[in-house]
């Protein structure tokens, strides 16, 4: 996959774990000189404002570290709820699955892959 | 309104928020909510539980199955003895929820439920009641 980091969120995370994930991820982006981050949320049955902000933060922080972020696998029930929750998911690119996510990352940074 | 299956849970840690979410999900399933309805009430539950912990300093959640005639619903009551909310109408505004974790999530939770009530007294605490009916 080249320099793409794939994170799969599989547990119902409590808030501290989410913060740890965010911080660890930034270290890894730098450690591996990653230019792309894929966050697989296909196991998440719910995304609340805390998780939403975490995803937004990851996208923004990654951008500062010269990496693009794509969130993949959002469940329809989650998407419907997020819109009604009214959370502005700014700067978050999404794709249906990992394969499409990689294609999107390639499209966003063609010189790399 | 008839209340059945009322259970109280502490909201004193972030693990407690996870448990409240899970119990809300189970209650919503018991009420016969479809997947989207479940997700909405669980998300609302998570928002207010977090408020009680982060802004309220901790408290408790009461999760109830309620019936009113042929209607079935899930009612959630969150209480804390925290500082209270000085300006509730401001706290309900959307702009208040967006900036880096300082928001209250109240507006969002209100949109995800059918009935929403908030009582708050500065220096005493806050009580938020959410109710979502099945099939609406």
């Amino acid at each position: 996959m080249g320099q793409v980091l794939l994170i799969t969120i599989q547990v119902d995370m409590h808030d501290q774990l989410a913060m740890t994930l965010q911080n660890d991820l930034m270290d890894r982006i730098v450690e591996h000189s990653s230019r792309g981050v894929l966050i697989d949320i296909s196991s998440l049955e719910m995304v609340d404002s805390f998780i939403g902000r975490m995803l937004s933060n990851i996208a923004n922080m990654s951008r500062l570290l010269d990496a693009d972020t794509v969130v993949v696998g959002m469940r329809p029930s989650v998407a419907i709820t997020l819109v009604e929750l009214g959370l502005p998911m700014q700067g978050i690119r999404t794709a249906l699955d990992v394969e499409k996510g990689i294609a999107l990352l390639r499209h966003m940074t063609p010189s790399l892959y | 309104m008839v209340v059945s299956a009322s259970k109280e849970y502490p909201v004193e840690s972030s693990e407690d928020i996870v448990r409240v979410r899970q119990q809300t999900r189970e209650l919503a399933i018991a009420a016969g909510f479809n997947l989207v309805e479940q997700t909405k009430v669980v998300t609302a539950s998570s928002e207010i539980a977090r408020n009680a912990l982060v802004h309220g300093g901790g408290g408790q959640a009461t999760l109830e199955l309620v019936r009113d005639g042929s209607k079935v619903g899930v009612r959630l009551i969150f209480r804390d003895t925290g500082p209270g909310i000085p300006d509730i109408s401001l706290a309900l505004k959307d702009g208040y929820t967006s900036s880096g974790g300082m928001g209250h999530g109240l507006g969002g939770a209100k949109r995800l439920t059918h009935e929403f009530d908030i009582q708050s007294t500065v220096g005493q605490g806050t009580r938020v009641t959410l109710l979502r009916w099945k099939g609406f």
Side-chain angles (χ1 to χ4, degrees), chain A residues 9-96:
Chain A
I9 303 179
Q10 280 179 318
V11 296
D12 191 355
M13 283 187 295
H14 60 76
D15 296 0
Q16 273 123 23
L17 195 53
M19 294 304 300
T20 304
L21 170 72
Q22 196 177 281
N23 299 338
D24 281 357
L25 182 52
M26 295 311 125
D27 286 339
R28 261 163 237 224
I29 289 172
V30 172
E31 189 187 324
H32 300 286
S33 305
S34 304
R35 298 293 304 280
V37 177
L38 279 183
I39 308 177
D40 182 349
I41 61 166
S42 57
S43 293
L44 288 187
E45 297 182 330
M46 178 221 63
V47 170
D48 61 13
S49 64
F50 191 89
I51 303 288
R53 266 195 305 274
M54 181 196 73
L55 294 173
S56 239
N57 288 344
I58 288 174
N60 292 331
M61 291 176 189
S62 304
R63 187 84 296 283
L64 286 175
L65 296 172
D66 199 22
D68 291 309
T69 304
V70 176
V71 172
V72 305
M74 187 180 293
R75 295 189 184 182
S77 52
V78 170
I80 290 166
T81 302
L82 268 179
V83 169
E84 203 158 295
L85 180 64
L87 194 70
M89 299 274 280
Q90 280 147 0
I92 304 246
R93 300 293 300 269
T94 57
L96 276 184

Side-chain angles (χ1 to χ4, degrees), chain B residues 15-131:
Chain B
E15 287 89 352
D16 284 345
I17 298 175
V18 173
R19 180 167 50 172
V20 165
R21 285 204 285 261
Q22 289 166 346
Q23 292 303 313
T24 304
R25 173 79 65 178
E26 287 194 24
L27 200 56
I29 289 170
F33 282 26
N34 68 29
L35 185 57
V36 171
E37 291 171 329
Q38 289 171 37
T39 306
K40 288 182 179 180
V41 74
V42 170
T43 304
S45 180
S46 191
E47 296 295 324
I48 305 302
R50 180 171 301 100
N51 279 2
L53 179 63
V54 172
H55 302 291
Q60 62 264 39
T62 306
L63 310 188
E64 300 175 327
L65 194 63
V66 298
R67 284 171 213 280
D68 191 356
S70 58
K71 295 201 293 186
V72 178
V74 167
R75 182 164 69 183
L76 316 167
I77 304 163
F78 296 89
R79 290 181 192 86
D80 66 67
T81 50
I85 302 171
D87 188 337
I88 291 178
S89 56
L90 180 64
L92 282 167
K93 280 205 183 128
D94 275 343
Y96 221 62
T97 67
S98 60
S99 48
M102 300 304 288
H104 287 263
L106 291 173
K110 186 175 178 193
R111 274 189 294 276
L112 291 172
T113 52
H114 296 125
E115 294 176 28
F116 178 94
D117 179 74
I118 176 164
Q119 313 278 332
S120 190
T121 306
V122 172
Q124 281 184 35
T126 302
R127 188 181 76 202
V128 179
T129 307
L130 309 168
L131 199 159

